[in-house]
Amino acid sequence: MTLVREGAVKARRRLEWPTIGLIVGVYLGFALVTWFYVSLPIWLFLPLAVYIGGLYGHIQHEVIHGHPTSNSRLNAALIFPSIWLVFPYDLARRLHLTHHRDHDLTCPARDPESFYVTPQDWARMGRIQRGFRIAMNSFAGRLILSPPRSVVLIWGDWLRRLCKGDTSDLGTWMRHLLAIAIPLGWAVGVCGVPFWAYLLGFAYGGAAIAAMRSFLEHQAAPEVGERICVVESGRFFTFLFLGNNFHAVHHSHPGLAWYRIPARWRAERAAYLTRNGGYYYRGYGEVVRRYLVRPKEWPVHPGMPEREERNGGRSGLAPAMLAGGPRSPVARPIPAKPS
């Protein structure tokens, strides 16, 4: 799999017009939905807000990976007004590119997007914390609990450090506060959208869409390829997630534009499924049926030894797992193409 560092995002000489058009379309949709808020029933406004918020989050992911131009500052400027509100773009970029060090995928000590915990952390948790972690490993729990958890962790960490006099990220957060003031000022101040409706739709709902996509993206496994999932969904979710449901393709080619991912998947489907050991789901209907309220796995990382620094080298997994020890994934047959 491809190891991506911050400086490894390849420059592009051409403008990616589909992505530029998508950015314009998302902001235009946001402006129209908020402007006509008073004319829209709440049962229609909220789903539209959730969809727009979710799409904005996935556009932000595209920008993190160097789209739609070769100029990273211009790319960030194109999505500067932060519809999502969740956390600063600069921080999101730093954490996500760290996540793309594939040899560390799922390792709770080194992958900032891992939902696993170490045995030591689990031993220190009380019943409520453990119940929270188990609940988040169900589909419903992930959608409901993950957005507020992200806010508490990211904002709470910054405020704690700020109270201790650490101003190292102050510029990042000041830019973010300005970035969220622009869409909030428009929607709440100009269009009269209640703050609770904005928060529930664009912010909470948008983050829940990202949590839906990422719910099964990664699992602890001895081989890097087997840690990365594919959900072969239809056009609706493939567009909403900008092709990241084909997550094995994205990790193999992190610089590939969203509108090229489905074709790459179709062309090399068997190779990807061989590489990821058949870690595959046939659409999100199957995901919901299996894991709506049932945890998909135990929250403790199965490959973490008692002392993290004695793990299995660069893979981030313990020697027992590398040797096919306890909780190693069972190989899945390669699924047939959908009819």
Side-chain angles (χ1 to χ4, degrees), residues 134-326:
I134 293 170
M136 271 213 310
N137 268 2
S138 71
F139 184 80
R142 185 66 61 89
L143 266 62
I144 295 169
L145 299 175
S146 181
R149 171 182 176 269
S150 297
V151 172
V152 169
L153 288 178
I154 299 297
W155 286 74
D157 177 69
W158 175 59
L159 292 174
R160 280 192 299 272
R161 289 190 291 109
L162 193 62
C163 290
K164 293 179 180 179
D166 182 353
T167 59
S168 57
D169 283 333
L170 187 59
T172 293
W173 281 93
M174 291 302 99
R175 287 191 295 273
H176 181 60
L177 292 176
L178 176 59
I180 66 178
I182 295 171
L184 275 175
W186 164 262
V188 178
V190 176
C191 302
V193 177
F195 179 71
W196 68 264
Y198 187 106
L199 192 66
L200 185 61
F202 294 108
Y204 193 112
I209 291 294
M212 175 183 176
R213 187 214 70 236
S214 65
F215 175 61
L216 288 170
E217 274 183 352
H218 299 290
Q219 66 174 358
E223 299 296 330
V224 170
E226 294 175 5
R227 302 176 202 170
I228 309 169
C229 189
V230 167
V231 181
E232 196 168 22
S233 63
R235 293 182 180 179
F236 178 86
F237 284 115
T238 295
F239 178 72
L240 177 59
F241 299 147
L242 298 187
N244 273 279
N245 47 300
F246 304 116
H247 209 57
V249 180
H250 172 61
H251 270 264
S252 294
H253 308 282
L256 191 65
W258 62 275
Y259 50 89
R260 300 189 187 279
I261 289 177
R264 179 66 63 93
W265 161 252
R266 290 190 297 270
E268 302 177 29
R269 184 179 187 275
Y272 284 116
L273 290 173
T274 298
R275 188 183 304 164
N276 82 346
Y279 186 26
Y280 166 95
Y281 293 87
R282 196 185 296 274
Y284 287 91
E286 179 184 357
V287 176
V288 171
R289 287 192 300 272
R290 289 191 183 190
Y291 303 117
L292 179 62
V293 294
R294 172 176 170 262
K296 64 186 178 73
E297 58 186 334
W298 195 242
V300 181
H301 194 288
M304 293 296 296
E306 287 301 314
R307 296 181 64 82
E308 194 277 335
E309 62 268 23
R310 294 179 183 174
N311 64 18
R314 289 171 60 83
S315 72
L317 299 175
M321 173 169 275
L322 293 172

Side-chain angles (χ1 to χ4, degrees), residues 121-139:
D121 288 337
W122 184 257
R124 287 191 290 263
M125 291 180 181
R127 290 183 178 180
I128 294 177
Q129 288 176 300
R130 290 182 177 185
F132 182 89
R133 286 283 183 172
I134 293 170
M136 271 213 310
N137 268 2
S138 71
F139 184 80

